[in-house]
Amino acid sequence: MFLPLILIPIAVALFAIFPLTDTDIWWHLACAREWVTTWTPVREPVVNVHQYFQQTVALVYDIGGAPLLVAFKAILWGIVFVLFLLPSMLSPNLNNENAVDSRGDISPVTFAGIAVLLFIFRYQFEMRPVLLSMLFLGIYWNVLPWLFFGWRERNVERSSISKKFHHVLHLTFHDVTKLFKFLGVLLILFIQWIWCKCQGLYILGLVLAFGFFSYSLWFRRWVRFGKVRQWNGVRIPLRTIAWQILFVILLFAMPFFHHDGLDLLPYPFELLDRLLGLSPSAIIFSNEIAENRSPITLLLNGENVLQSALMLVLCVAGIVLAAVRWYLQPSPDASWQLSWQTNERVEAIFNRRMLPSWLFITAILALVAERNFVLFLPIFVAIVVHFSMRPSSSNVKLKNTKLKIKNTSIKLKNRLAEKSRKLGSKLKLKGKLAQKTRNLSHTLSPLLTSEFLLAAVVLAFVFGHWSKSLSAYDSMVAYQRVPVGAAHWMMENPHPGRLFNDDRAGGYLAFMNPLDSIYIDGRFILKTADFFERYLAYANMPRLFLVDADSQDIDRVVLPLRYYARWDKLLATLDSSEKWHVAYRDSLFVVMDRTLR
């Protein structure tokens, strides 16, 4: 039953082993050492919403460099999928109360399909602040149902020794369970406080908590304010509702517990503006940066065609699946024939309402921007596993029939075994050999099915390509995307003026050579619309750059030649100018200096 909980996270961790392709990790590392300031103007106020993420990755990098950082993010991505898969694996089956295990393991073909999906989107598993956001969401995904829907559990009869042991705690919290709930509340509040300084997506934790709280209120079906609804004999006091309301209020107040809380509070809305393109600066940002464009836009432009098309299909499938799950499944409050114990209430509300709701929200976010697909992927895999672990009623009857046949055959074998003991030693030996042969054939029979063979071929193909790509990495630093050689040369050859650089190279340059202030890095949210528009205009109007370079005392330019190389016209203009010359060049980057006279 727990095989997918092991195999899928292992596959995710393995696929997440690749170099640090996200160039923003370098300005995160640079800001962990000292806040990076570009020599160009920035918008005010400046708030470092990624501070705790930066300190975390800097600590790991200082210990083991890029290889350890890659291993760290691979392990964390595996844990993320464990957390999202866990509720689907542990939730009870309301349709079969007496069944011990009515799900069975995931089919080999389903696992192979999930492995293919994870392999195609493996480069989504980058070392970005969203990794910690997904980790926190996974914790919320498991703890919040327990807090909101399992707040009042039945008291368990304890022995006299147990009662004496819990006497002090009982006097304080009236029940040991409430102590655990209290610790759970403190854990979530602490995580939310940390999250506010890890990424602007901390608002997703608030949305998820408010969703669980809203469903808990709705499905308790209050008749009148001040009177308690009897839920099949389980009393739900107003005190519980009061504690939950206070808990939600404290969650929303967590940004104010930081010294720059007033600046942290509007940051998530600035992120939304940047993705949707509501303001002038956000329009440029959402249209020009590939990761922040919609999969639909990328597909129409012919960029990343396979991944964009598959993203579009999966997101639409997720929206349809969420709608079907919502409308076809009976409402949790309609199943009054159930005893509605804690786990059953959690399973009904969680799987019939929260799961499709969150699937719908993340699918919409993924359609808005390609980089948001990583928010959708774990929940989509979890719901696929959830459905594959639930056989139909005919399959359950077939399984029960097989169990009866198996029990009958065991009884017959036992009777035959008793009779065989009366025979000679030779017959006993033959019986043991025959039994071992039958057991071996019974063990190998699932391995010889066409379903298993098909899955084995697919998995061999996927992991073969993965191992081949892994052997091609000669460094965990993606030197194709950051100027490794150029930065080393620039450190040995300083210049008196100012530096102009490509935005994706800015973070690495700031990390490697902090004394040479950069022109721009990946923190586009700090730049105005006019600045960003003029920066992009240099690629198509190189003469404009020459004018600005003279007025702003720019005497060095470092630009990419292959990865996101939009600067061909500017490089050609600089190369043909008498005022500029090539100072350093490799196959990936070029450094041009102003010619001294």
Side-chain angles (χ1 to χ4, degrees):
M1 178 179 177
F2 294 97
L3 200 58
L5 196 61
I6 300 174
L7 295 181
I8 293 177
I10 289 177
V12 171
L14 292 177
F15 293 152
I17 301 176
F18 56 85
L20 300 172
T21 53
D22 184 54
T23 56
D24 287 347
I25 187 61
W26 299 108
W27 65 258
H28 284 303
L29 291 172
C31 288
R33 180 180 54 204
E34 183 181 3
W35 180 252
V36 175
T37 56
T38 61
W39 62 265
T40 51
V42 297
R43 293 194 303 172
E44 299 291 341
V46 178
V47 53
N48 187 8
V49 75
H50 306 107
Q51 180 180 355
Y52 294 159
F53 168 79
Q54 292 165 356
Q55 296 297 332
T56 302
V57 295
L59 177 63
V60 177
Y61 187 87
D62 291 340
I63 295 174
L68 183 60
L69 194 56
V70 170
F72 178 69
K73 64 120 172 176
I75 294 173
L76 287 188
W77 276 117
I79 295 175
V80 166
F81 276 78
V82 169
L83 293 173
F84 276 94
L85 288 170
L86 199 57
S88 300
M89 306 295 297
L90 297 181
S91 59
N93 189 350
L94 298 181
N95 299 324
N96 191 358
E97 297 179 359
N98 298 324
V100 177
D101 182 12
S102 60
R103 287 174 177 78
D105 286 328
I106 188 172
S107 66
V109 173
T110 303
F111 174 70
I114 293 175
V116 172
L117 187 67
L118 296 174
F119 177 75
I120 293 174
F121 295 106
R122 65 190 184 278
Y123 290 114
Q124 292 280 333
F125 306 137
E126 293 180 311
M127 191 69 238
R128 295 193 287 132
V130 72
L131 173 54
L132 292 187
S133 294
M134 293 301 296
L135 182 66
F136 297 152
L137 277 175
I139 297 174
Y140 283 29
W141 199 246
N142 289 269
V143 177
L144 289 180
W146 173 57
L147 291 179
F148 284 115
F149 306 122
W151 197 272
R152 292 277 296 183
E153 283 134 354
R154 287 187 176 181
N155 294 328
V156 180
E157 292 295 332
R158 300 191 182 97
S159 63
S160 59
I161 299 177
S162 178
K163 288 180 180 179
K164 292 179 180 179
F165 178 76
H166 292 291
H167 179 66
V168 177
L169 296 177
H170 179 77
L171 292 177
T172 307
F173 299 98
H174 304 290
D175 196 342
V176 176
T177 302
K178 289 202 170 185
L179 171 60
F180 296 147
K181 299 291 186 181
F182 180 71
L183 294 177
V185 168
L186 292 182
L187 173 65
I188 296 299
L189 291 176
F190 177 72
I191 290 176
Q192 188 65 36
W193 182 78
I194 293 290
W195 198 349
C196 292
K197 295 287 284 185
C198 286
Q199 193 186 24
L201 288 180
Y202 71 83
I203 194 172
L204 292 180
L206 303 178
V207 172
L208 189 62
F210 186 76
F212 278 117
F213 174 68
S214 301
Y215 281 124
S216 71
L217 287 182
W218 176 257
F219 291 119
R220 278 171 175 150
R221 300 176 65 85
W222 289 79
V223 179
R224 297 176 191 170
F225 183 78
K227 289 192 175 182
V228 176
R229 174 76 177 184
Q230 297 291 329
W231 196 309
N232 283 6
V234 180
R235 186 174 182 272
I236 305 172
L238 283 173
R239 182 176 56 187
T240 297
I241 303 299
W243 273 106
Q244 292 181 0
I245 292 176
L246 178 61
F247 173 53
V248 173
I249 292 175
L250 287 175
L251 278 176
F252 277 85
M254 279 299 108
F256 296 106
F257 287 89
H258 294 276
H259 69 279
D260 49 357
L262 293 177
D263 297 328
L264 286 173
L265 192 61
Y267 194 87
F269 302 99
E270 295 182 8
L271 287 179
L272 182 63
D273 171 37
R274 188 172 66 173
L275 293 177
L276 298 180
L278 302 178
S279 64
S281 59
I283 292 176
I284 301 174
F285 181 85
S286 60
N287 291 335
E288 295 294 335
I289 305 303
E291 296 91 337
N292 293 280
R293 283 184 282 173
S294 169
I296 302 175
T297 304
L298 294 174
L299 184 62
L300 294 177
N301 294 340
E303 302 178 36
N304 300 328
V305 176
L306 175 61
Q307 291 190 8
S308 300
L310 192 54
M311 280 183 190
L312 183 60
V313 171
L314 293 178
C315 290
V316 173
I319 294 174
V320 173
L321 186 62
V324 171
R325 182 71 173 171
W326 181 281
Y327 287 105
L328 293 187
Q329 288 291 324
S331 178
D333 61 340
S335 301
W336 293 102
Q337 72 277 9
L338 296 174
S339 61
W340 284 107
Q341 299 301 317
T342 299
N343 290 337
E344 295 166 341
R345 204 158 52 235
V346 171
E347 196 275 343
I349 298 176
F350 184 85
N351 289 322
R352 298 180 186 179
R353 288 298 178 260
M354 282 305 300
L355 196 63
S357 299
W358 199 251
L359 183 68
F360 179 83
I361 292 173
T362 54
I364 295 298
L365 290 175
L367 287 177
V368 171
E370 180 263 350
R371 70 188 310 163
N372 290 336
F373 186 76
V374 74
L375 301 172
F376 169 79
L377 188 57
I379 190 64
F380 182 78
V381 171
I383 203 169
V384 168
V385 172
H386 179 73
F387 283 148
S388 65
M389 298 284 287
R390 284 180 174 268
S392 62
S393 58
S394 60
N395 289 337
V396 174
K397 293 180 180 178
L398 180 61
K399 183 176 181 179
N400 293 333
T401 304
K402 289 181 178 180
L403 288 174
K404 292 180 180 179
I405 295 175
K406 184 177 180 180
N407 292 333
T408 304
S409 63
I410 290 175
K411 292 180 181 179
L412 292 175
K413 289 179 181 178
N414 292 335
R415 292 178 182 177
L416 292 175
E418 291 178 0
K419 293 181 180 180
S420 64
R421 292 192 189 98
K422 299 178 181 179
L423 299 177
S425 58
K426 293 183 180 180
L427 293 178
K428 287 184 179 180
L429 181 60
K430 290 181 180 179
K432 291 181 180 180
L433 292 175
Q435 183 67 28
K436 290 183 179 181
T437 304
R438 285 194 297 269
N439 292 339
L440 182 62
S441 62
H442 179 73
T443 303
L444 294 178
S445 58
L447 303 179
L448 301 178
T449 61
S450 57
E451 183 182 22
F452 183 87
L453 292 177
L454 176 62
V457 171
V458 173
L459 291 175
F461 177 79
V462 169
F463 282 96
H465 275 271
W466 169 77
S467 60
K468 183 178 179 181
S469 64
L470 192 64
S471 62
Y473 303 144
D474 53 0
S475 173
M476 287 295 108
V477 177
Y479 56 84
Q480 300 87 348
R481 305 190 180 200
V482 292
V484 176
H488 181 72
W489 181 88
M490 291 167 61
M491 292 173 61
E492 296 179 345
N493 299 271
H495 63 110
R498 289 173 170 173
L499 174 69
F500 177 82
N501 59 274
D502 177 72
D503 54 270
R504 296 178 183 273
Y508 187 81
L509 293 173
F511 178 70
M512 296 301 297
N513 190 11
L515 297 179
D516 195 358
S517 184
I518 57 175
Y519 179 87
I520 191 175
D521 54 28
R523 297 171 294 176
F524 302 119
I525 201 170
L526 298 180
K527 300 298 181 181
T528 63
D530 294 337
F531 174 87
F532 200 58
E533 187 175 11
R534 195 172 187 86
Y535 162 73
L536 294 175
Y538 292 154
N540 297 319
M541 294 184 291
R543 296 293 175 184
L544 178 63
F545 172 78
L546 294 179
V547 174
D548 289 349
D550 292 336
S551 62
Q552 298 176 6
D553 193 27
I554 297 176
D555 65 349
R556 175 165 288 180
V557 174
V558 53
L559 296 172
L561 296 174
R562 291 172 57 183
Y563 185 74
Y564 280 102
R566 62 163 69 95
W567 306 102
D568 292 342
K569 293 182 180 180
L570 177 58
L571 288 174
T573 300
L574 293 176
D575 192 38
S576 61
S577 174
E578 296 180 353
K579 296 182 179 180
W580 295 84
H581 68 278
V582 176
Y584 172 87
R585 184 187 184 98
D586 55 31
S587 61
L588 300 170
F589 285 86
V590 61
V591 178
M592 303 194 73
D593 283 355
R594 186 185 293 271
T595 303
L596 299 178
R597 293 185 178 179

